[in-house]
Amino acid sequence: WRRRPGSGRSTVEAALLEAASSVDTAWLAGPGRADGSGATAAWAVAPPDRAAVAAAWVGDAALILCRSGGLPPLKLSTDHALADPAEAARVAAATGGRAGSPQQTARLAGELAVTRAFGDAPYRRAGLVSTPGLAWVDGGDESAVALLLVTDGALEGRAGPAGLCRAAVRGA
């Protein structure tokens, strides 16, 4: 697999970025605007003209590549949170100040655990955006057996990525 920057220029990457923007716009125009709610997400597409899968995510939803042959699973996504130095720098640059402090326990505006999400209108001035991270899973990886799209809650359990992959492959 390989991670690509969020400013990718391919047609598939542009479509993933447009999809994220459309979902965010619809969320902010709908009931989510009034209640200030938000969501994280992970999604993937297998373009017919490529031997690869394009994956995208916002927030702490995750993409996990399960592999055979005793190889450990690969987490393709990184959590969009202030604990990531690149995200902290992005938020600081966007807000003209510090992204957080120890008193805020690395939370956006002292409250939100993620720095990218759909909706969450009250946190836009604090640097929240809906731009997804992007990654490609190359079709040449013969060890790949499954691509899991999971919520943050699934990763917080005792099973972790390895347990989730065992369950997914066993159930396939």
Side-chain angles (χ1 to χ4, degrees):
W1 71 279
R2 61 181 186 250
R3 192 169 286 134
R4 293 208 180 158
S7 61
R9 299 290 183 235
S10 79
T11 303
V12 173
E13 290 171 345
L16 290 170
L17 293 169
E18 178 58 32
S21 178
S22 295
V23 169
D24 189 52
T25 298
W27 192 292
L28 291 171
R33 178 74 174 167
D35 66 13
S37 65
T40 65
W43 64 103
V45 62
D49 59 339
R50 294 194 60 129
V53 173
W57 70 97
V58 292
D60 52 6
L63 295 120
I64 300 170
L65 182 66
C66 302
R67 303 184 299 163
S68 63
L71 295 171
L74 289 176
K75 186 176 177 193
L76 304 178
S77 54
T78 56
D79 290 351
H80 291 136
L82 291 176
D84 177 355
E87 271 303 283
R90 183 196 61 76
V91 170
T95 61
R98 292 178 41 208
S101 69
Q103 295 80 19
Q104 294 174 317
T105 62
R107 291 182 173 265
L108 197 63
E111 298 177 7
L112 195 62
V114 296
T115 55
R116 300 185 191 206
F118 298 132
D120 281 324
Y123 300 97
R124 295 304 169 114
R125 288 187 179 166
L128 183 88
V129 297
S130 63
T131 306
L134 300 173
W136 285 90
V137 179
D138 293 322
D141 185 351
E142 294 184 12
S143 70
V145 294
L147 178 63
L148 305 182
L149 311 166
V150 299
T151 66
D152 64 320
L155 290 174
E156 292 171 359
R158 293 185 309 171
L164 292 172
C165 284
R166 278 192 301 277
V169 172
R170 193 173 42 239

